[in-house]
Amino acid sequence: MTDASLPLAQTLARPAAGPVANRSDPVLDRLKGLHPKVIDLSLDRVRRLLAALDHPERKLPPVVHVAGTNGKGSTVAFLRAMLEAAGHRVHVYISPHLVRFHERIRLGASQGGRLIDDEHLAALLEECEVANAGNPITFFEVTTVAAFLAFSRVPADVVLLETGLGGRLDATNVVDRPAVTAITRISYDHRQFLGDSLLEIASEKAGIFKPGVPVVLAPQPEADALKALMLRANAIAAPIQDWSVEERPNGFRFESAKRQLDLPMPGLAGAHQITNAGVAIACLDHLPLAVDDEAVRRGLAAVEWPARLQRLTRGPLAESLPPGWELWLDGGHNDSAGEVLARQAVDWSRGQSDGNPALPLLLIYGMLSSKDPFEFLGPLAPFTHALRAVAIPGEEASFTAEESCETAKLCGIRDHGAADGVDAALADLVAGRRTPARVLICGSLYLAGTVLAENG
């Protein structure tokens, strides 16, 4: 009997097989077998299924809805950390996952919450399948509805809802009146669905705005993106909130109508995280929940978010490095991510980042073929001493290692080469140097998930 013919709950109860969990997750494998993986932006299928389940999206605690291109996940992570530091129960829905599918749904509890367990998720998905009655639907839509079901039945104080793609037609955009909506930095991504210009992309993201619901906007470097967001907010009378952050020695200052705070640097690496933290703090001002300044400080310090400039210090990959070497992981994959990493590279080269020494920067790089490799790698190239390219394991839509080497060559990275995998790439980089260096694995969240799974 194949997985596709097993009952859903039985399939999900089976342990994941193989060394790379996110390539053989039974939840994801089963959903892909039942529903198309292709993206089909629409709200009709989701609304029909929610209606069949008695509208769980209408039975939620206050919702924070977050869209954008870069920084959505970090903003949600900051929000969760600060809300939990204040003692609140926080439901969270994110995408994509890194290692296991159930990472997408986190249920709030009095002790900080937990990822949904497989048995609970299996029962919810089975219920969705029955209610859907064989109608067309994508696996992301079914998972979103399952999350709403879980959130409507488990008591909590707030829901943090991250869009999957875009905003206007994203499956999460069915909550009629969230407490607040937020837009992080907008950049080029998913052009085949959202449009070729920042004006078009921002207009799609602004589709999460609701009449009269406060809007928190991250600073937008591009005028077209800001223009589209402002036009939509003004058209539906969604008030845009005034707030600011200013980087200062050893920290930053946040100011809004309700708070003026001098804060230490956030627990997530990179100066760009100051802006993401600012978006999150500004959102707190519009929730019917008490989060005092001390909870803000504790949350900023305690926040965790894998594969966002994450330093790997344990596991077989990190432990294979000689003394003095560093290993970092980042899942960014577009022009903005390349710019952020380039800024971090400058700080690293000056020894100005959290006391990290100035070391040569070496890249292990892999990217999906749906992305623009030059937009990402171009900003990083001037700071890169060597690059080893890999194909992303289990992904048909990955650039080959040889194709990525050609990109590196055209970007001006002289020392480049192909490797059969991350471990082989790391060994090759180490073998080619006699002094310590800093290795950054980058180019894709899918690659980052593979690394986290393999590194334990």
Side-chain angles (χ1 to χ4, degrees):
M1 179 178 287
T2 64
D3 277 356
S5 60
L6 283 170
L8 185 61
Q10 184 178 346
T11 303
L12 301 186
R14 299 171 68 193
V20 184
N22 67 321
R23 299 280 81 83
S24 57
D25 189 311
V27 180
L28 186 57
D29 291 347
R30 178 62 174 158
L31 284 173
K32 287 180 181 177
L34 286 168
H35 308 293
K37 184 181 178 183
V38 295
I39 296 168
D40 184 6
L41 294 178
S42 170
L43 292 179
D44 294 339
R45 295 179 299 273
V46 175
R47 285 178 171 149
R48 172 183 46 75
L49 181 51
L50 288 168
L53 291 164
D54 195 27
H55 290 291
E57 82 284 6
R58 299 177 183 175
K59 304 168 185 176
L60 304 178
V63 171
V64 181
H65 200 184
V66 182
T69 308
N70 295 86
K72 297 191 302 293
S74 297
T75 297
V76 169
F78 281 123
L79 275 164
R80 178 170 75 87
M82 293 184 291
L83 286 161
E84 289 181 346
H88 299 298
R89 300 164 298 174
V90 186
H91 290 331
V92 184
Y93 183 60
I94 63 164
S95 67
H97 63 286
L98 287 172
V99 179
R100 294 194 60 209
F101 192 81
H102 74 161
E103 296 168 21
R104 297 177 181 229
I105 302 174
R106 177 177 288 272
L107 300 177
S110 58
Q111 298 300 317
R114 57 177 175 80
L115 297 178
I116 192 168
D117 61 60
D118 284 347
E119 187 174 320
H120 188 184
L121 180 55
L124 291 167
L125 290 169
E126 191 75 50
E127 186 175 353
C128 290
E129 295 294 343
V130 171
N132 191 53
N135 288 301
I137 198 162
T138 70
F139 83 83
F140 180 74
E141 291 166 344
V142 146
T143 306
T144 302
V145 173
F148 285 137
L149 267 182
F151 296 161
S152 69
R153 293 171 178 174
V154 177
D157 303 306
V158 62
V159 173
L160 307 180
L161 200 58
E162 179 188 347
T163 60
L165 191 158
R168 181 175 65 92
L169 296 176
D170 186 77
T172 61
N173 196 28
V174 291
V175 177
D176 291 333
R177 192 164 183 84
V180 59
T181 60
I183 303 286
T184 62
R185 178 174 175 174
I186 291 175
S187 185
Y188 290 104
D189 209 1
H190 301 295
R191 296 180 186 178
Q192 66 272 41
F193 301 105
L194 305 180
D196 288 324
S197 71
L198 286 178
L199 193 67
E200 292 172 301
I201 294 170
S203 296
E204 289 295 322
K205 307 284 188 184
I208 70 167
F209 297 167
K210 302 296 185 296
V213 174
V215 171
V216 174
L217 298 180
Q220 301 296 328
E222 300 293 339
D224 280 353
L226 181 59
K227 177 182 177 181
L229 298 173
M230 298 284 288
L231 283 173
R232 177 60 181 168
N234 291 333
I236 64 171
I240 298 175
Q241 305 309 294
D242 187 23
W243 65 278
S244 66
V245 289
E246 179 185 355
E247 187 173 356
R248 295 187 172 182
N250 303 315
F252 69 103
R253 181 167 179 80
F254 172 88
E255 292 190 2
S256 70
K258 295 186 178 181
R259 299 177 195 259
Q260 294 80 44
L261 292 173
D262 290 306
L263 298 163
M265 289 297 289
L268 300 181
H272 62 289
Q273 294 293 3
I274 290 175
T275 298
N276 295 329
V279 173
I281 299 169
C283 286
L284 294 178
D285 289 348
H286 304 285
L287 289 174
L289 302 170
V291 182
D292 62 26
D293 295 348
E294 185 54 35
V296 170
R297 290 188 175 89
R298 292 199 308 273
L300 289 178
V303 65
E304 295 181 350
W305 193 230
R308 278 72 174 181
L309 268 177
Q310 176 187 4
R311 185 173 178 185
L312 302 179
T313 57
R314 293 177 292 180
L317 289 175
E319 291 163 5
S320 71
L321 290 173
W325 284 64
E326 293 182 4
L327 182 62
W328 292 75
L329 179 66
D330 192 87
H333 49 262
N334 57 20
D335 57 334
S336 293
E339 292 166 9
V340 162
L341 291 176
R343 179 178 177 183
Q344 183 66 31
V346 171
D347 289 346
W348 274 334
S349 69
R350 297 171 177 169
Q352 294 178 347
S353 179
D354 298 324
N356 294 303
L359 297 172
L361 179 62
L362 316 178
L363 300 188
I364 298 175
Y365 163 78
M367 179 168 276
L368 293 178
S369 56
S370 59
K371 309 301 180 183
D372 188 324
F374 296 99
E375 288 185 350
F376 172 79
L377 202 55
L380 265 174
F383 311 101
T384 301
H385 289 72
L387 177 147
R388 296 296 178 266
V390 298
I392 302 172
E395 290 294 334
E396 295 180 3
S398 171
F399 283 114
T400 66
E402 291 73 21
E403 288 170 333
S404 290
C405 279
E406 186 63 23
T407 300
K409 177 181 177 181
L410 293 173
C411 287
I413 301 174
R414 294 184 179 181
D415 183 353
H416 60 267
D420 289 336
V422 170
D423 53 351
L426 191 60
D428 190 34
L429 289 171
V430 170
R433 301 193 68 86
R434 297 182 178 179
T435 57
R438 177 174 290 113
V439 180
L440 173 63
I441 305 171
C442 61
S444 171
L445 276 173
Y446 293 91
L447 177 61
T450 297
V451 169
L452 289 174
E454 291 180 338
N455 196 51

